[in-house]
Amino acid sequence: MRLISRFPLGTYFAIVYAASAAALIVLGLPRLTPGGSPNPASLAIFPILVVTVGAAGAALTAISGRTRAIADLWSRMRLWRVPASYYAALLVPPLGILATLTALEHMASPAFAPGFFPVGLALGLVAGFFEEIGWTGYAYPRLWQRFGALRGALLLGLLWGVWHLPVVDSLGVASPHGPWWPALFAAFVFLVTAVRLLICWLYVKTGSVLLAQLMHASSTGFLVVFSAPHVTASQEATWYLAYGGLLWVGLVAVAFGRRLGTASKEHVPVKPT
C-alpha cells in the first residue's frame, strides 16, 4: 500500500510494461529481415496485454482509493451526457484514414486503395473498453496532475506507443515488415501519440472515460477496417506516417494543442490517497 501510495504511476507502468516485456520474451524480438511468415502468437497475446492494462488500472484504483475511487471511476465510465460536438470528434479517425489513403491512392499508387474489414470495429471496441480503464481512468489524471494536461498527454502517448513493441510487427496487412520494421514502428508511435492527444483533449473537456473509450475504439477499429490490403511494408509505413502527420498538423497541433495546454483542472477527479 505504501509503495502504491508513493509511486502510483511507477507501479502502474511497471505492471503494464512487465506484461509487455513478458510478451516480448515469449515472442522474441520482432523480425528485422525479409521473409518469414506472420507470427500468430502475437495476435493471441495482444488481448492479454489489452486486458492487463485495464485490470491494472481498476485494481490500483481500488487499492489506492477503495470503494469511493471505484465509484468515481465507474461514474466517469458512464458519463455520456456531453455536448454532441464531442461525439462528432469520433469521426476524425475514419475520415482521416480515408482521406490519407485516397490521396495516396491517386497521387502515389493504387495499392493504397482503402480496404474494408468490418470485424475491425469489434477489435476496436475491445481494445478501447479495456485499455482506457487504465490509460485514461487511472494513468492520465495522475500524469495531468504532475506534468500538466499537454505534457502529460504527450508522455502517455509515447509510453502507449512503445508499449505496443511486442506486437507491432503483426499490425497491419504487410506483416512481417522485415527491414521496414523500424520505420513502421516509428511511424506507429508518431501516429498513436497524436491519437492520444486527441483522446486526452476529449477527457480534459468532458471528464468522460466513456468518450475516451469510444475514441480509442474508433481509432483502432477503423485503422483495421480501412487498412489498405495490398500495400507493401514500405507503403504501410508511409501511410501510417502520412495519417499521423495529418492528425498532428491539421487536428492536434493547430486545433487542440493550445486548448489542451491551458485547460483548467476541473476534470482531474482522481487524487492518490
Side-chain angles (χ1 to χ4, degrees), residues 36-207:
S37 59
N39 189 348
S42 60
L43 295 179
I45 289 178
F46 191 70
I48 298 175
L49 299 183
V50 166
V51 172
T52 299
V53 169
L60 291 179
T61 297
I63 292 171
S64 62
R66 300 183 184 251
T67 304
R68 184 177 60 181
I70 285 292
D72 174 74
L73 174 61
W74 178 240
S75 69
R76 287 181 288 138
M77 289 175 62
R78 292 185 295 123
L79 181 56
W80 61 271
R81 291 184 177 179
V82 301
S85 58
Y86 293 116
Y87 283 103
L90 299 177
L91 296 175
V92 168
L95 293 179
I97 292 167
L98 286 174
T100 300
L101 288 173
T102 301
L104 289 171
E105 177 189 5
H106 289 90
M107 296 172 59
S109 169
F112 287 105
F116 185 66
F117 186 63
V119 175
L121 290 177
L123 300 176
L125 285 171
V126 171
F129 175 80
F130 284 104
E131 286 190 45
E132 293 312 314
I133 294 173
W135 302 133
T136 299
Y138 183 84
Y140 181 61
R142 290 164 172 79
L143 288 168
W144 184 355
Q145 277 189 326
R146 185 167 180 180
F147 300 106
L150 181 56
R151 286 186 296 172
L154 284 168
L155 178 57
L156 183 57
L158 291 170
L159 291 170
W160 181 38
V162 174
W163 170 81
H164 288 85
L165 176 65
V167 294
V168 75
D169 201 39
S170 294
L171 300 174
V173 298
S175 176
H177 298 83
W180 281 96
W181 181 86
L184 175 80
F185 184 57
F188 180 78
V189 174
F190 176 70
L191 164 60
V192 299
T193 302
V195 172
R196 179 53 56 185
L197 278 173
L198 182 55
I199 292 173
C200 290
W201 174 78
L202 288 172
Y203 183 74
V204 164
K205 294 300 182 181
T206 67

